[in-house]
Amino acid sequence: MVILKRLPAQGTIGSKEIGVLREALTRNWLRILLLVVLSCAVLLPSLSTTSLWDPDEGRYAVCARTAIREGHWIVPYYNGHPRVVKPPLMVWLVAASSLAFNKGEVTEWTARLPSVLAAVLTVVLTFLIAYILGLEPNASMLAGLILLTSHLFCKQGRFAITDMVLLFFLIASFFCFVMGYGLGRAMPNERWYLGMYLFWGLATMQKGPAVGFVLPVLIIMVFLWSSSELYRVRELISLWGIAIYLLLVLPWPLAVGKDYLKAFLWDNNVKRFASNPEWKSSPFFYISNLPFQFMPWSPFLVLLFGTIRKVKLEFEVKTAFLWCWFGVVFLLFSLSDTKRSSYILPLYPALSILVAWAFQNLEWHERELRPYWKVSLVLLGLSLAGVCGGMVWLWWNRMPVDPLGIALGLFGASLGAPLLLYLLSKERLKPVVGLVFALALGYSLLYTAWYQPTYDRYYRSPKRYIMPMKKLLGSSRLFHLGSIRSHDLFYFERDHIPAWTPKDGVEVLKNSYLLSRGRKVDAFPTEIKAGLNEVIEVKYRGKRMVLLRGDNGV
């Protein structure tokens, strides 16, 4: 399979008669269709058979279900209380997906569908941005494939949380900026800036103004400064654009009132960025985290480094925009007290395009870049062997022995690296590039179609303890001890599970049940234990989940 190929000239690109976007779509529709098909093939498997993993998945699913059942559309409700720490757009998207495709019943599939659609569109936009900035068509397609098969993107594209939809809104705003500003093959057209404001507004309603507005504006400002074109700021300011943004953003906080200012803007944005001891991480968190999350393409950051060092930057100002995009996101979130892998997801499209640009230069400057290429391949072989070994260790320690899992792990660890090193000894470049892409695609398909559902079935799924307890509960009232887990609310099909503590007394639990971890039950005072009967105990992820009933119970 040939990934990169120098194509003959295709006429005057960016001409007024054709238009760069129309040209990108009409001359590359097969590539775009292939990207969509591959994206669906990677992201859709086991979407409904893998339980809700991330805590926020359950929160958005429960809030959407409550909105559909009880009409809490303006202010989402979670476990019986209003939730204003996040804007409601993701709740609306999950609810709309469930109403459109499942008659209003929220499931894993309907909850995750907005993220999957956003991921597919993000891959397509990555291709278009790469093409418009100046990459050749096949290299632009490779940029989309790199993004699709990178570990974090593949994982987040299947979660019912805000990050992937936010990424789509952000990259759509950058696409509008590139078209409006006239970067690469595009001709300047200020009408595109209206779309930029539109997507800024949607991004703000997805996760707030800090990420939805301040972050993209900061990236663009840094780019203009680095290009000595700050004077062009005035062309970005549009009264119609500002009106579109405010029309999208203002109604909800006005409806919520001062709670929005306190719970969301101050507590969830300013304080989490500046001072958050509970989530505080090292400033080097992303330096160590990014190489793992960008697998299996992170070894080719060596090739990118070599391209910057050995090859003159044909991209010039276009590359500057990508580096500003990457650098601002990386630096800003590295300075934040609160760090999670998904927070730097917005830099992945830029990084994917840069790595694809390095691959394109590898074909053109093979002699200069071959040493970096060899190092990248060695690192890839070692990384894949490490991943396979880690999988075997994980299976061995956390789940019943799975012959297929161990066989795959040992096969990859024992044959993957030597096979790459064998191809490395040859002087043929394109077959190795094809194999690298095939490995990346296989890695992603293995993760979504086999690893996630298998790991979920044996280790992660809360259904293991919830379903047998749910049968015993019937319609009886259920309390919880300790912090409620969002998947408990979702799979018990309860919109509200009230909290209980030993101080409340066992009288509160009359004709009711209590869900708790075994270690907390063991610490109960004697008089509390005397008033409770253990109904069922199920082990879950190394913990004992216990369902108890009041002594005067059902």
Side-chain angles (χ1 to χ4, degrees):
M1 178 178 180
V2 178
I3 301 296
L4 301 177
K5 180 181 178 182
R6 186 186 289 273
L7 298 181
Q10 298 181 357
T12 305
I13 296 176
S15 65
K16 295 180 180 179
E17 292 79 10
I18 300 177
V20 65
L21 181 57
R22 184 183 302 175
E23 180 176 341
L25 295 173
T26 55
R27 295 187 177 182
N28 298 284
W29 69 270
L30 275 175
R31 293 183 178 90
I32 293 173
L33 179 61
L34 182 57
L35 283 174
V36 171
V37 170
L38 289 175
S39 297
C40 292
V42 167
L43 296 170
L44 286 176
S46 71
L47 201 66
S48 60
T49 56
T50 303
S51 306
L52 302 179
W53 284 10
D54 190 288
D56 282 335
E57 282 197 288
R59 293 189 186 102
Y60 288 112
V62 170
C63 287
R65 187 174 64 193
T66 306
I68 294 171
R69 290 178 178 177
E70 302 181 11
H72 294 299
W73 292 99
I74 304 302
V75 179
Y77 266 66
Y78 175 74
N79 198 27
H81 302 284
R83 188 172 189 263
V84 295
V85 295
K86 290 286 192 297
L89 182 53
M90 189 64 191
V91 174
W92 297 343
L93 292 174
V94 172
S97 170
S98 303
L99 288 168
F101 296 103
N102 203 32
K103 299 180 180 180
E105 181 183 351
V106 182
T107 64
E108 295 95 338
W109 192 86
T110 62
R112 289 163 170 162
L113 185 60
S115 293
V116 171
L117 294 176
V120 174
L121 292 173
T122 299
V123 170
V124 173
L125 282 177
T126 300
F127 165 82
L128 291 175
I129 290 177
Y131 179 81
I132 291 168
L133 287 182
L135 262 70
E136 291 191 350
N138 284 341
S140 301
M141 182 177 175
L142 181 60
L145 293 172
I146 290 172
L147 179 66
L148 170 65
T149 54
S150 59
H151 178 69
L152 181 65
F153 182 89
C154 181
K155 180 174 66 175
Q156 297 298 124
R158 295 163 48 81
F159 282 173
I161 57 179
T162 58
D163 299 275
M164 187 53 63
V165 178
L166 171 68
L167 175 60
F168 165 66
F169 292 147
L170 290 177
I171 194 174
S173 74
F174 290 140
F175 173 77
C176 292
F177 169 74
V178 167
M179 295 297 293
Y181 193 82
L183 283 177
R185 295 179 168 116
M187 299 291 290
N189 187 339
E190 294 183 12
R191 286 178 295 179
W192 283 97
Y193 292 147
L194 296 179
M196 182 177 68
Y197 280 93
L198 169 69
F199 288 111
W200 285 349
L202 292 172
T204 300
M205 286 301 293
Q206 181 71 358
K207 206 162 184 176
V211 181
F213 179 76
V214 175
L215 178 64
V217 168
L218 184 60
I219 290 171
I220 291 173
M221 293 298 292
V222 171
F223 164 68
L224 294 177
W225 170 79
S226 68
S227 305
S228 301
E229 292 187 325
L230 273 175
Y231 65 90
R232 293 189 64 177
V233 169
R234 60 178 178 270
E235 77 182 48
L236 302 177
I237 300 174
S238 165
L239 293 180
W240 281 108
I242 294 172
I244 291 171
Y245 178 82
L246 294 178
L247 185 63
L248 288 169
V249 168
L250 280 184
W252 187 71
L254 289 177
V256 174
K258 63 180 181 180
D259 289 341
Y260 174 82
L261 296 175
K262 171 68 170 63
F264 176 67
L265 284 182
W266 180 253
D267 291 343
N268 206 257
N269 279 258
V270 177
K271 287 182 68 175
R272 286 185 68 174
F273 179 88
S275 178
N276 189 7
E278 295 181 1
W279 287 53
K280 191 175 181 63
S281 303
S282 165
F284 305 105
F285 173 82
Y286 293 117
I287 293 177
S288 59
N289 184 263
L290 178 63
F292 172 75
Q293 298 294 350
F294 195 54
M295 278 291 294
W297 298 100
S298 48
F300 297 100
L301 296 177
V302 174
L303 178 63
L304 177 59
F305 171 77
T307 306
I308 298 168
R309 190 167 181 264
K310 292 290 186 180
V311 179
K312 291 183 179 180
L313 299 183
E314 293 91 345
F315 253 177
E316 298 172 351
V317 70
K318 287 82 73 176
T319 315
F321 176 65
L322 294 170
W323 282 116
C324 291
W325 179 351
F326 172 87
V328 169
V329 175
F330 189 89
L331 180 61
L332 192 65
F333 285 102
S334 293
L335 293 175
S336 170
D337 251 19
T338 305
K339 296 179 177 67
R340 293 181 66 180
S341 301
S342 60
Y343 286 175
I344 63 169
L345 187 63
L347 65 78
Y348 275 66
L351 185 58
S352 299
I353 297 173
L354 287 168
V355 172
W357 169 71
F359 271 91
Q360 179 173 279
N361 277 279
L362 175 64
E363 184 182 16
W364 295 350
H365 308 280
E366 183 178 346
R367 180 177 298 177
E368 296 92 334
L369 296 178
R370 180 166 284 277
Y372 299 95
W373 169 245
K374 289 184 176 183
V375 172
S376 295
L377 285 180
V378 171
L379 290 175
L380 176 64
L382 294 174
S383 300
L384 290 176
V387 168
C388 292
M391 183 176 66
V392 173
W393 178 88
L394 190 66
W395 251 242
W396 188 266
N397 286 275
R398 291 189 175 181
M399 291 181 291
V401 175
D402 187 326
L404 179 59
I406 292 181
L408 284 171
L410 292 175
F411 176 81
S414 61
L415 296 182
L419 179 60
L420 281 174
L421 293 175
Y422 170 76
L423 289 173
L424 177 63
S425 66
K426 303 296 183 180
E427 291 299 322
R428 300 169 62 193
L429 176 64
K430 291 178 182 177
V432 184
V433 175
L435 176 62
V436 168
F437 166 68
L439 283 171
L441 185 62
Y443 174 89
S444 300
L445 286 170
L446 182 68
Y447 178 75
T448 60
W450 177 76
Y451 173 85
Q452 276 195 335
T454 305
Y455 187 65
D456 178 69
R457 186 185 315 118
Y458 285 119
Y459 185 69
R460 286 295 296 262
S461 177
K463 296 178 184 178
R464 293 181 60 193
Y465 71 87
I466 290 178
M467 292 309 168
M469 293 180 180
K470 186 178 175 183
K471 289 181 180 179
L472 295 170
L473 278 172
S475 58
S476 300
R477 196 175 188 191
L478 176 65
F479 290 82
H480 74 89
L481 175 63
S483 59
I484 185 67
R485 289 166 292 275
S486 61
H487 55 237
D488 290 339
L489 285 163
F490 183 77
Y491 289 113
F492 275 116
E493 294 189 53
R494 306 290 178 105
D495 293 329
H496 180 41
I497 301 178
W500 176 89
T501 66
K503 293 180 180 179
D504 297 326
V506 292
E507 296 80 9
V508 177
L509 299 177
K510 183 178 180 179
N511 299 325
S512 301
Y513 288 84
L514 173 67
L515 174 66
S516 177
R517 293 182 180 179
R519 61 179 178 82
K520 293 187 177 182
V521 175
D522 295 339
F524 282 171
T526 304
E527 61 273 16
I528 296 294
K529 288 182 179 180
L532 295 172
N533 290 324
E534 182 177 312
V535 178
I536 187 174
E537 177 183 299
V538 182
K539 289 186 177 180
Y540 172 67
R541 301 184 66 184
K543 303 178 180 67
R544 294 181 295 124
M545 304 303 299
V546 182
L547 184 68
L548 305 113
R549 188 180 62 193
D551 194 37
N552 299 317
V554 184

